[in-house]
Amino acid sequence: MESGVQKMICGASEVFFPIHGDERGKLVAIEENRDLEFDIKRIYYIYDTCPDVVRGKHAHIDLHQVMLCVCGSCEVLLDNGQEREVVTLSAPNRGVYIHSPIWREMLHFSKDCVLLVMTNKFYDRLDYIFDYDEFLRMVKERVEEKG
Ligand code: TYD
């Protein structure tokens, strides 16, 4: 299977990566600007998450991100200010690509979940929006700018 992108709500897409498997097991390779539409500047992963925890609860001003569960599963709530969608991440070769302002919350982590995130920028606290109303204002401004 080729890597690919499938549209979800505006601003987020589902992405697929090829699995290289043989009698020894499986391998997934992700290359910037080939399997991903951006340069990878930063990788982080979330694991050992406490039960009933909701993480994220923010949006970014300008950041491209792909997240997937290399192990276990979790749910991601995606909200672009107009539409919402909850996606279950449960495959090491299928993720969510967030490429414009999206409020996101990650929840229902399985005990063994390792959520991997690849981004196009270094960590920058100034790129975060933690207030949902501020997020809605930003989305409105961008819609007005586009006319
Ligand atoms: P946090 O932003 O709360 O994670 P999430 O929104 O995914 O639940 O990050 C937890 C801590 O890790 C916080 O102290 C900031 C730090 N951190 C980094 O140093 N670099 C990073 O790339 C990220 C995402 C977080």
Side-chain angles (χ1 to χ4, degrees), residues 42 44 46 55-56 58 106 123 125 128:
R42 176 169 53 113
Y44 64 92
I46 293 171
R55 299 199 63 133
H58 63 254
M106 292 85 83
Y123 179 65
R125 206 68 176 168
Y128 280 69

Side-chain angles (χ1 to χ4, degrees), residues 1-5 14-22 25-37 66 68 70 91-95 118:
M1 188 185 74
E2 298 270 306
S3 51
V5 175
E14 203 175 9
V15 284
F16 303 91
F17 306 106
I19 299 174
H20 306 275
D22 57 31
K26 295 190 174 92
L27 182 153
V28 174
I30 302 174
E31 298 191 359
E32 64 181 14
N33 288 318
R34 290 184 179 172
D35 305 293
L36 294 181
E37 293 180 19
V66 165
L68 58 83
V70 288
N93 73 320
R94 188 173 64 81
M118 295 161 276

Side-chain angles (χ1 to χ4, degrees), residues 23-145:
E23 67 286 351
R24 298 168 299 166
K26 295 190 174 92
L27 182 153
V28 174
I30 302 174
E31 298 191 359
E32 64 181 14
N33 288 318
R34 290 184 179 172
D35 305 293
L36 294 181
E37 293 180 19
F38 56 84
D39 294 335
I40 303 168
K41 262 288 196 315
R42 176 169 53 113
I43 294 174
Y44 64 92
Y45 42 94
I46 293 171
Y47 65 102
D48 228 355
T49 308
C50 295
D52 304 324
V53 153
V54 180
R55 299 199 63 133
K57 294 189 182 172
H58 63 254
H60 287 278
I61 297 166
D62 181 23
L63 188 72
H64 290 247
Q65 277 185 307
V66 165
M67 49 175 81
L68 58 83
C69 287
V70 288
C71 182
S73 65
C74 73
E75 286 179 0
V76 186
L77 165 81
L78 302 160
D79 177 342
N80 64 11
Q82 283 158 342
E83 305 161 274
R84 283 184 156 211
E85 187 157 336
V86 177
V87 187
T88 302
L89 298 180
S90 58
N93 73 320
R94 188 173 64 81
V96 171
Y97 173 31
I98 301 175
H99 40 86
S100 43
I102 296 266
W103 184 267
R104 87 288 310 270
E105 298 181 7
M106 292 85 83
L107 64 162
H108 295 146
F109 291 83
S110 65
K111 217 173 161 14
D112 60 346
C113 179
V114 181
L115 176 64
L116 177 78
V117 186
M118 295 161 276
T119 83
N120 72 328
K121 289 191 176 166
F122 292 131
Y123 179 65
D124 178 6
R125 206 68 176 168
L126 296 177
D127 188 62
Y128 280 69
I129 296 178
F130 291 106
D131 182 83
Y132 186 73
D133 291 331
E134 194 186 332
F135 162 70
L136 290 180
R137 281 196 293 277
M138 179 176 73
V139 170
K140 195 163 166 269
E141 275 168 25
R142 295 207 181 174
V143 169
E144 284 167 3
E145 274 167 23

